[in-house]
Amino acid sequence: MDKMLNKFWEVWGQSDSLYNKWANKHNINNVRLFVLYTLDRNESLTQKRISLYTGLAKQTVSSVIQALKKEDIIILLPSINSDKREKLVVLTDKGKQYCKELLTPLYVVEERTFELMGEDRVKQMVDSINLFNTILDKEMRKNEK
């Protein structure tokens, strides 16, 4: 099992490294890439949802959001949620154009990768990662007690 765990971390690290490489090539950091990717794939999200979607710490997401707001890449709108402090993060027209230029080539590469892998393998990969995350979360919760 140790070999599989080591291989898992190696593969995870390689995937992370590939996205870091993409971000660096476009003169941004991976955190900004992940936040922009998330916003581009969704109409609007709260900072909390962005944090959950990306796995990034809330404070990290907040820092990126503040920087993007200063650059007029996003705006913050009142949430329809019961918590009035929570704001929706929405791309501006400038932000949409920025994401289009930054992310469209990445989407093409990802889609081509999925095509080459085949639909069944992609589904198996996603299902396996989802199962891993579900079981890991359950086991970690047991360990907290």
Side-chain angles (χ1 to χ4, degrees):
M1 193 55 76
D2 273 352
K3 278 187 175 182
M4 286 307 289
L5 194 54
N6 286 344
K7 188 66 178 168
F8 169 79
W9 276 99
E10 180 184 342
V11 170
W12 181 293
Q14 289 170 349
S15 295
D16 192 49
S17 178
L18 289 167
Y19 282 95
N20 282 330
K21 186 176 174 181
W22 183 274
N24 290 335
K25 179 180 172 188
H26 294 87
N27 300 314
I28 62 172
N29 65 38
N30 64 328
V31 173
R32 184 179 176 109
L33 174 66
F34 296 156
V35 170
L36 289 168
Y37 192 108
T38 303
L39 288 170
D40 193 50
R41 288 289 193 188
N42 299 276
E43 287 285 314
S44 62
L45 292 171
T46 63
Q47 290 184 41
K48 182 178 180 179
R49 287 293 306 151
I50 294 168
S51 179
L52 290 171
Y53 190 96
T54 60
L56 297 169
K58 291 177 195 173
Q59 300 87 341
T60 303
V61 170
S62 180
S63 295
V64 173
I65 293 300
Q66 291 311 312
L68 293 172
K69 186 178 173 194
K70 286 179 186 173
E71 296 170 42
D72 194 33
I73 301 291
I74 58 105
I75 56 171
L76 300 177
L77 299 175
S79 175
I80 56 173
N81 187 321
S82 61
D83 186 350
K84 300 299 178 195
R85 297 170 298 171
E86 221 171 42
K87 303 287 184 208
L88 290 175
V89 182
V90 180
L91 289 168
T92 62
D93 288 341
K94 178 182 175 183
K96 289 176 186 173
Q97 183 61 36
Y98 178 64
C99 284
K100 182 178 180 181
E101 292 168 11
L102 174 69
L103 298 173
T104 299
L106 179 57
Y107 296 154
V108 169
V109 169
E110 289 173 326
E111 287 171 17
R112 180 70 179 140
T113 301
F114 280 4
E115 283 175 21
L116 291 169
M117 288 177 65
E119 188 175 335
D120 288 344
R121 276 190 146 160
V122 172
K123 184 178 180 339
Q124 287 175 341
M125 177 182 72
V126 171
D127 289 348
S128 293
I129 293 169
N130 189 42
L131 179 60
F132 174 83
N133 289 342
T134 300
I135 294 171
L136 184 64
D137 181 51
K138 184 178 177 182
E139 292 301 311
M140 285 180 164
R141 288 174 195 259
K142 277 188 205 175
N143 202 22
E144 289 173 358
K145 295 176 183 178

